[in-house]
Amino acid sequence: MAQTAASEASVTTLPQRFLLDPALKADATAVRVTPDMTYDATRGYGFTNTRDGNEVALAVKAAPGDYRVRVTLGAKKAESRTSIWAEDRRLMLAPVVLKKSETKTVEFIVNVRDAAVITSEQDAKGKAPRVGLRGDEDIGRTWDDRLTIAFSGPSPAVQSVEITPIKARRILIAGDSTVTDQAGTDYASWGQMLPRFLASDVSVANHARSGETMKSFVTSLRWDKLLSDLRAGDVVLMQFGHNDQKKQWPRTYVDAERSYPAWLKAFATDAQTRGAKVVLISPVSRRSFQDGKITNTLAGYDDAVRKVAAELNVPFIDLTAKTKTLYEALGPEISPLAFGNNGQDKTHHNAYGAYQIANYVAQAITDPQSGLGLKAAPDFTAFDPAHPADPKHYDLTPADWPVMREAPAKISGN
C-alpha cells in the first residue's frame, strides 16, 4: 500500500490522556479539559457538543489511522449510565451502568479518515484526489481532521479519556443509506451499530453513504478511498441494491441479471486482489406489507448476491430474508417502530431497527465457520429475528441516543 507513514501516524498531541472529571488530580501525563473549552484547532482538542443536544463530545486533532481509546467511567457520588459513540454516532459499546463510587475502564478502536485518496508518493505531497463529499458530509465528524468521542445517557459520568495511535485490523463497509453512519436524529443504520457487537481488537470504517450505488461509489472515488485504506487481512462488507435497481437513475442503474452481478464480482475481486476477505450482503428489505407478509421489492438483486457469493466462495449474509422475518414478526402495526421519521419511512431504520440488524451481521461475521477470524464482544447475545425484542424495551433507551443534527434533506434510498 502506498499510503505514507505520515498519514498513518498521529499528530504531535497524541498519545494523550484527557481528564474530564474535575475531582481527578492532574499530572504531567494528563491534560485537564473543562466544559467551557470548545474545540480549538490551534490547541488541538476541546468539545464539539451538538447545540441543544444531550451529548458530551470530546474532539482531538488526529491524522487518518486507527486509535486505541481507553475511557474510565463512573461517579463518586451517584449512579451512572453512559453510552459511548465515535465520529458520526458509531456505537462502540453497550451502555455502561455503574453504582455510586464504582468505576470501570473500557477500551475500543476507532478509525479516523479524511477525504484525501492517497495511493502514491505524489498524492502524499498535497496533490491527492479527494472523495466527492455530498449533502451534509462536510459538516459531519467522519471526514474531518479530528477523532471525536461522544458520551450520552440519562446520567453519563466520564472521568478520563486516553487516545493512542495503533495499527489494527479493519472492517471496511461499502453501501448505501441503509448501511451508513446516519447523523440525523431519528435515523440509524446497521453499519454504525456494528462496533458494539464486536470485540475491541478491530476498527470499523464505514464508507457507506446515502444515495450510493456501486457505479457512484466508483465515480465519487469512495471505492478508491476504501481500497487505499485496505490492508491484507482486513475484511470488506458490501451491501448495495436499493439504488442500483432504480431505472429512474439511468446513469447508475444496473439490471439484476447481468450488470449487478458483474459489478459485485468486480468489487469483490478488487478487494481480494489486495489480500482482503470479502463478505457479500443482500440488501435489507423494505417494509412493504401485503396481507401480513413482506413483498420482496428487491427480487432478483438479493438472489444475485447469493449466487455471486457462492461462485466466489465468500461468506454471504441474507439480510433481505433476515429483515423480512423481523418485520413480519413485529407485524404491520408494530414494525414502524423500527423505522425512521417516526415510522413514516419504509426503508431506513431508527436506533432500534439498526441495532437488531447489526446483531445479525455480527452473528454471521463472527461465526467460526465464516473463516474471517473475527470475535464477538464479550457480552454478545445473538438476536432471533423471529422473536425480536420489544422496540420500546431493549438495550438502548431514548436517553442513550445522542441528539445530533437534523438531516438537511430527504434521505435517498426509498
Side-chain angles (χ1 to χ4, degrees):
M1 193 60 53
Q3 196 163 16
T4 66
S7 67
E8 287 286 346
S10 71
V11 294
T12 55
T13 56
L14 298 176
Q16 189 60 274
R17 182 167 174 257
F18 299 89
L19 302 182
L20 281 69
D21 187 341
L24 294 179
K25 293 183 179 180
D27 56 43
T29 65
V31 173
R32 184 176 301 283
V33 286
T34 57
D36 62 311
M37 296 174 67
T38 58
Y39 181 81
D40 179 85
T42 302
R43 183 174 56 214
Y45 59 87
F47 294 103
T48 58
N49 305 346
T50 300
R51 184 176 180 179
D52 299 324
N54 64 336
E55 63 169 1
V56 175
L58 175 65
V60 180
K61 190 173 184 180
D66 297 309
Y67 295 85
R68 169 74 68 183
V69 180
R70 180 180 289 112
V71 180
T72 299
L73 303 168
K76 188 173 183 180
K77 298 182 179 179
E79 297 179 347
S80 62
R81 179 184 174 100
T82 310
S83 293
I84 304 178
W85 313 80
E87 300 290 88
D88 261 340
R89 292 196 306 184
R90 295 178 212 155
L91 180 60
M92 306 313 298
L93 304 161
V96 179
V97 180
L98 299 173
K99 298 177 182 178
K100 182 172 64 174
S101 297
E102 186 179 9
T103 63
K104 184 176 183 178
T105 298
V106 296
E107 292 186 354
F108 48 88
I109 299 174
V110 179
N111 179 263
V112 173
R113 67 179 184 267
D114 61 19
V117 183
I118 299 176
T119 57
S120 68
E121 291 183 3
Q122 184 180 25
D123 292 338
K125 295 177 181 178
K127 299 180 180 180
R130 298 179 66 81
V131 173
L133 303 184
R134 298 190 294 108
D136 62 348
E137 287 186 296
D138 59 339
I139 62 171
R141 295 170 175 171
T142 296
W143 298 97
D144 59 18
D145 60 352
R146 312 166 195 172
L147 166 58
T148 302
I149 305 296
F151 307 94
S152 64
S155 52
V158 185
Q159 295 190 1
S160 63
V161 178
E162 185 175 348
I163 302 173
T164 305
I166 64 168
K167 185 174 182 179
R169 191 183 186 197
R170 293 170 176 168
I171 298 174
L172 302 100
I173 309 176
D176 54 32
S177 56
T178 62
V179 188
T180 190
D181 292 347
Q182 296 283 6
T185 297
D186 194 38
Y187 284 92
S189 297
W190 65 257
Q192 70 195 111
M193 296 292 190
L194 186 61
R196 177 266 175 269
F197 296 108
L198 301 176
S200 60
D201 59 347
V202 295
S203 71
V204 175
N206 191 355
H207 288 254
R209 168 63 190 165
S210 295
E212 292 298 325
T213 68
M214 284 186 288
K215 284 186 176 181
S216 68
F217 225 73
V218 172
T219 58
S220 65
L221 300 188
R222 291 176 189 273
W223 186 240
D224 283 349
K225 177 62 179 178
L226 185 152
L227 293 178
S228 74
D229 286 347
L230 193 62
R231 297 184 293 241
D234 289 345
V235 177
V236 178
L237 310 181
M238 291 192 290
Q239 185 218 284
F240 288 96
H242 275 270
N243 300 315
D244 305 78
Q245 72 168 179
K246 292 182 176 180
K247 292 184 178 180
Q248 67 270 33
W249 293 8
R251 283 195 298 114
T252 57
Y253 166 71
V254 290
D255 71 280
E257 185 177 349
R258 293 172 297 182
S259 300
Y260 186 61
W263 277 91
L264 287 172
K265 292 176 186 177
F267 271 42
T269 53
D270 242 0
Q272 289 177 321
T273 298
R274 289 162 174 80
K277 297 179 181 291
V278 174
V279 180
L280 296 181
I281 305 173
S282 63
V284 295
S285 292
R286 298 185 179 95
R287 180 167 49 89
S288 53
F289 276 98
Q290 184 174 356
D291 299 326
K293 298 293 183 181
I294 292 292
T295 58
N296 188 0
T297 64
L298 294 146
Y301 289 85
D302 58 331
D303 196 44
V305 184
R306 181 182 297 105
K307 291 178 179 177
V308 171
E311 181 180 339
L312 298 180
N313 193 29
V314 300
F316 166 65
I317 304 176
D318 195 346
L319 280 191
T320 310
K322 287 282 188 182
T323 50
K324 176 181 185 293
T325 300
L326 171 66
Y327 307 160
E328 290 179 352
L330 292 170
E333 301 302 322
I334 302 299
S335 57
L337 296 179
F339 286 80
N341 195 18
N342 296 314
Q344 296 181 55
D345 196 309
K346 294 185 177 183
T347 298
H348 306 96
H349 303 96
N350 58 13
Y352 167 77
Y355 196 78
Q356 308 309 304
I357 298 167
N359 182 280
Y360 309 149
V361 175
Q363 290 180 45
I365 65 176
T366 60
D367 186 333
Q369 294 186 357
S370 71
L372 300 174
L374 297 172
K375 296 177 291 185
D379 63 345
F380 180 81
T381 299
F383 299 162
D384 181 357
H387 300 90
D390 182 346
K392 295 183 179 180
H393 300 91
Y394 72 110
D395 295 350
L396 297 178
T397 70
D400 295 317
W401 187 239
V403 176
M404 289 186 67
R405 62 188 181 275
E406 293 294 336
K410 182 179 179 180
I411 293 177
S412 300
N414 278 304

